[in-house]
Amino acid sequence: MIRYFWCFLCVCMFPFYGLAQELDSIAQREIRTGFHTVGENISEAVLKGNNGFGFEVGAYQERKLLDKVSFSYEAGFRYKSYEEQVFVIDSSAVLLDPVPDTAIIADSYNVRHDDLKLTTLVSVRFVYLENPNVYFILGVGPEFTFRQRIDETYLNSRFFNRDGELLSENVLDLPPDVGDDIFRNSVVNLRIDLGIGIELKKFNIELVHRTDNTQNLGLRIRYTFDTLIY
């Protein structure tokens, strides 16, 4: 077990050795410009089911910092369509049977989201193997949602006492009156990308785990249409 731990640690640390290189060690400086597309599976937990899908298109520019380290920035448009189960808590109800008491009601809804976002991202690429280049990606950036569509469906209600014990579960004849605003996500959110990719001439193929308010596993394809070498 100890041997496997040290092997794993060495593999994880290897990409960061490039940061210790001197700038003079760069054989040639490059600026790459291109566009990217992403298709992604959306779930509430990593690799657990499917709650929806996402698609993104955009453009990027990448600058070579060191021989094996590159920095890129990108922007694009992202569409997310997914479902989630949401509980709305009401602690003001009063139970009349068998003994008057304060109850906590958790109303359950199935909520469908259709979001259109403006995405931005800055990322660092560490080359791990060469010929062809296999690399790791770490990126972070804000997203801005400029269109949200919400469609909620009432499922049932659960009644708890003040000690958190479940008293009953049923479907109310008259569903609670709630507005869409209670189900809306923040207009601005932060996304973190972590992945691995391979470079094949003008194409980069990347498997990326993207985290925001959901867990997203995506396949990203980058195409470079211009390379400036100086």
Side-chain angles (χ1 to χ4, degrees), residues 7-24:
C7 289
F8 177 75
L9 183 62
C10 290
V11 169
C12 293
M13 291 299 296
F14 184 82
F16 294 94
Y17 292 159
L19 294 175
Q21 302 175 89
E22 296 293 336
L23 290 177
D24 292 340

Side-chain angles (χ1 to χ4, degrees), residues 159-220:
F159 295 81
F160 300 85
N161 61 20
R162 287 177 296 181
D163 296 326
E165 298 176 345
L166 178 63
L167 301 176
S168 64
E169 178 178 349
N170 53 53
V171 178
L172 300 179
D173 294 332
L174 183 62
D177 184 16
V178 296
D180 288 347
D181 290 343
I182 198 171
F183 303 111
R184 292 184 182 276
N185 296 317
S186 174
V187 174
V188 181
N189 67 272
L190 188 68
R191 191 183 90 228
I192 300 174
D193 284 13
L194 182 63
I196 187 172
I198 184 170
E199 182 178 336
L200 303 172
K201 295 184 178 180
K202 287 180 176 278
F203 287 92
N204 292 55
I205 302 174
E206 303 169 352
L207 183 64
V208 184
H209 175 235
R210 321 170 86 193
T211 301
D212 44 26
N213 64 306
T214 56
Q215 302 296 322
N216 319 286
L217 186 62
L219 180 66
R220 178 164 57 202

Side-chain angles (χ1 to χ4, degrees), residues 122-190:
V122 293
S123 60
V124 182
R125 178 164 69 115
F126 306 94
V127 175
Y128 180 65
L129 297 174
E130 296 181 293
N131 297 320
N133 285 346
V134 177
Y135 53 89
F136 295 103
I137 311 159
L138 176 61
V140 62
E143 296 182 325
F144 307 88
T145 303
F146 58 88
R147 195 207 70 182
Q148 291 192 57
R149 290 182 178 175
I150 307 294
D151 184 16
E152 71 275 5
T153 302
Y154 169 72
L155 299 178
N156 56 40
S157 295
R158 296 179 181 180
F159 295 81
F160 300 85
N161 61 20
R162 287 177 296 181
D163 296 326
E165 298 176 345
L166 178 63
L167 301 176
S168 64
E169 178 178 349
N170 53 53
V171 178
L172 300 179
D173 294 332
L174 183 62
D177 184 16
V178 296
D180 288 347
D181 290 343
I182 198 171
F183 303 111
R184 292 184 182 276
N185 296 317
S186 174
V187 174
V188 181
N189 67 272
L190 188 68

